[in-house]
Amino acid sequence: MKHKSGKTFPDAIVIIFVMSIIAGILTYILPSGKYKRTTIDGIHEIIPNSFHSTAKNPTSLIDFITAIPQGLIESANIIFLVLIIGGAIAIIDSTGATYSGINALVEKTKGRKYLLIITIASIFGIMHQVGVSGNTVIAFIPIGIMLARAMNLDAIVGVSMVYLGNFAGGAVGTFDPAIMGVAQKIAGVPLFSGAWFRIIIFITLITVTIIYICRYTKKISIDSSKSILKDNPFPVEVIDTVSNFEKFNKKHLLVILTFIASIGIFLFGVFNYKWSVNELSGIFILTSIIIAAIDKIKPNDFVHIFMSGVKKLTYGAIIIGIARSIIVIFKEANILDTITHIATAHIQELPTMIGALAMFAFNWFFNILVSSGSGQASIVMPIMTPIGDMIGLTRQTTVLAFKLGDGITNIITPFSGVLMSVLAIGGIPWTKWLKFAFPLVLWWTLVGAIFLVIAVLINYGP
């Protein structure tokens, strides 16, 4: 990637590899240590005040060079999900259904792009508010990109209206059982209590997000050269929709209904049978086969089309495993708990207001490393709950400090398998996404800090 000055900016893989070297060096500097852990009602929690030193285990050269393969292994399910989605979307694209359908939608709305952005971002924000979408947002990214293409925008807008809308809801997660439920359970407050305040925060965040996306959309609509993706607005190539596909017809409708039904079946499985990433991959494989049958695609042609889609997302899929290698290094050296212990050791000595903001800041940074919300809750909430009690915070405010910190940096951390999957599907380099999304992270952080201050002032409780 080059700047206007002509200087080459490092590729995302180069940046992550350098970060892994730094992580390896840190294993020689930071002491090794662990918290004791227990399992309560199926939730793995650390035991407060149980941190203890362990034998130092710095990263050797062999540890370092095997961390990447191990990261790929640990991320295998989501890596294969990305590749399978690439293949399935290629099959769906080849029928012409998505493009004809999207173009028909744009025509019916008379090209009201801002209305479409507001509607889609709001829908996905509400979905994540109630814990419906979450990581499954990956499956909906192609729809956003197709809409953006039909409106002559870029992949950034396509990803943003779905992904950022989704995580504006996830940053608060008012009724999300997987993260908010776990955090409130550990903190000992009633499930989903304090919802009224978090709904207000969500409305503020989704409004800020929509304005941010619409401003960018207006800028590139006036001058396409101002797109962050410059002269390649849609890096993942697709077949020309105008010259190759007919108008929307009954076959297209059947293909789209099949896709929608597959997502509906998956969501049903999530809530009733605890389905996850592997089941979503399987459903995409089955859906692509059914759609191929509807469009009468021959078996050999099916394999060719499917693999062409897989190839387009290989780069992004590999990045997911490489990013995971840093967490592998920290875990094997036993310094992830050390980082938590060092960062939280002095919060209990701070005044109430500053302590609340310090908790927020800690989770903001810690989430860059541990982007799993439920995983982060099980690590930090057993520590933060008693600290919050000591500095005079209500437990609801402590949960809020955790959730806001946990949710905001999800949209930029390269260690998030979901984000890297989304960017892979859109063909957006992480470095360019960071340039686009980081100002929004700052706006979200400001909103979070303001509402956290208000929570302390009003003694926010159940």
Side-chain angles (χ1 to χ4, degrees):
M1 185 174 81
K2 291 186 177 180
H3 290 293
K4 291 179 181 178
S5 62
K7 293 181 179 179
T8 301
F9 194 82
D11 186 270
I13 289 180
V14 175
I15 293 173
I16 294 171
F17 186 75
V18 170
M19 292 171 71
S20 68
I21 294 174
I22 295 171
I25 294 171
L26 284 175
T27 67
Y28 287 87
I29 299 172
L30 296 176
S32 297
K34 277 187 174 182
Y35 284 102
K36 293 180 181 178
R37 284 167 166 78
T38 185
T39 301
I40 301 174
D41 295 331
I43 300 173
H44 300 290
E45 302 177 16
I46 68 169
I47 301 173
N49 302 316
S50 67
F51 182 81
H52 59 282
S53 297
T54 60
K56 202 162 180 60
N57 184 33
T59 302
S60 67
L61 179 60
I62 293 297
D63 292 333
F64 181 79
I65 61 177
T66 57
I68 291 177
Q70 184 61 34
L72 290 165
I73 292 168
E74 292 186 7
S75 307
N77 59 348
I78 200 161
I79 289 172
F80 281 104
L81 171 64
V82 170
L83 297 176
I84 290 167
I85 284 178
I89 295 304
I91 294 294
I92 297 170
D93 289 349
S94 71
T95 69
T98 46
Y99 304 111
S100 299
I102 293 297
N103 285 330
L105 175 63
V106 171
E107 286 176 11
K108 289 206 173 202
T109 57
K110 298 180 180 177
R112 294 174 185 168
K113 52 194 169 191
Y114 300 111
L115 176 62
L116 284 171
I117 290 170
I118 292 169
T119 302
I120 292 172
S122 299
I123 288 172
F124 280 97
I126 293 169
M127 285 172 66
H128 205 169
Q129 268 279 85
V130 299
V132 171
S133 52
N135 295 351
T136 60
V137 70
I138 297 169
F140 297 95
I141 296 301
I143 297 173
I145 292 174
M146 291 167 197
L147 270 172
R149 183 183 293 276
M151 295 185 289
N152 296 315
L153 299 171
D154 66 10
I156 294 264
V157 177
V159 167
S160 296
M161 69 174 90
V162 176
Y163 179 77
L164 293 181
N166 182 72
F167 274 90
V172 188
T174 304
F175 302 106
D176 181 1
I179 303 175
M180 180 58 69
V182 169
Q184 289 189 318
K185 189 172 185 178
I186 293 173
V189 297
L191 184 64
F192 303 143
S193 56
W196 66 273
F197 192 64
R198 289 195 297 277
I199 289 172
I200 294 172
I201 301 174
F202 164 66
I203 293 171
T204 306
L205 285 175
I206 196 67
T207 301
V208 169
T209 303
I210 288 170
I211 291 171
Y212 189 82
I213 298 171
C214 287
R215 285 183 56 135
Y216 176 79
T217 298
K218 183 178 180 181
K219 181 172 71 173
I220 67 172
S221 295
I222 295 171
D223 183 358
S224 61
S225 68
K226 291 186 178 179
S227 166
I228 288 176
L229 298 175
K230 300 299 180 185
D231 57 349
N232 190 16
F234 295 94
V236 175
E237 296 179 3
V238 296
I239 302 171
D240 183 0
T241 65
V242 176
S243 60
N244 288 283
F245 297 115
E246 66 267 49
K247 288 197 171 185
F248 192 69
N249 55 41
K250 290 181 180 179
K251 184 192 74 174
H252 294 151
L253 178 61
L254 183 57
V255 169
I256 289 175
L257 289 177
T258 300
F259 175 76
I260 293 172
S262 69
I263 298 299
I265 290 169
F266 173 70
L267 293 177
F268 175 81
V270 168
F271 286 102
N272 292 277
Y273 302 106
K274 297 184 179 179
W275 285 2
S276 187
V277 173
N278 289 345
E279 287 79 8
L280 182 58
S281 295
I283 283 176
F284 267 108
I285 292 173
L286 179 61
T287 300
S288 64
I289 293 172
I290 294 172
I291 288 174
I294 292 171
D295 199 45
K296 298 180 181 178
I297 299 174
K298 295 178 181 178
N300 283 354
D301 292 337
F302 172 86
V303 173
H304 175 74
I305 296 168
F306 191 92
M307 290 309 298
S308 69
V310 169
K311 290 175 185 176
K312 291 174 184 176
L313 299 190
T314 302
Y315 172 84
I318 293 298
I319 284 181
I320 296 168
I322 294 174
R324 180 70 186 179
S325 67
I326 296 176
I327 305 303
V328 170
I329 290 170
F330 281 160
K331 282 186 175 180
E332 291 187 351
N334 290 329
I335 65 170
L336 197 58
D337 282 2
T338 300
I339 294 171
T340 304
H341 177 68
I342 293 172
T344 60
H346 300 291
I347 293 179
Q348 62 194 33
E349 301 169 6
L350 298 174
T352 303
M353 187 70 75
I354 302 301
L357 293 172
M359 285 183 175
F360 173 45
F362 164 71
N363 280 285
W364 193 100
F365 284 104
F366 192 68
N367 186 65
I368 294 175
L369 285 177
V370 183
S371 59
S372 165
S374 55
Q376 187 175 341
S378 65
I379 293 172
V380 305
M381 282 307 299
I383 299 172
M384 287 179 55
T385 300
I387 290 176
D389 292 345
M390 284 188 280
I391 64 176
L393 290 178
T394 65
R395 293 200 170 185
Q396 199 69 263
T397 302
T398 299
V399 171
L400 183 66
F402 154 74
K403 190 66 193 79
L404 288 171
D406 160 71
I408 290 174
T409 48
N410 274 321
I411 66 172
I412 58 168
T413 173
F415 309 125
S416 166
V418 176
L419 172 61
M420 301 310 286
S421 301
V422 163
L423 297 184
I425 293 168
I428 303 170
W430 174 73
T431 47
K432 291 190 176 183
W433 174 259
L434 183 65
K435 180 180 178 181
F436 168 76
F438 191 71
L440 180 62
V441 167
L442 297 181
W443 281 111
W444 280 10
T445 302
L446 178 61
V447 170
I450 290 171
F451 276 101
L452 196 56
V453 168
I454 294 172
V456 174
L457 292 175
I458 67 173
N459 209 32
Y460 173 50

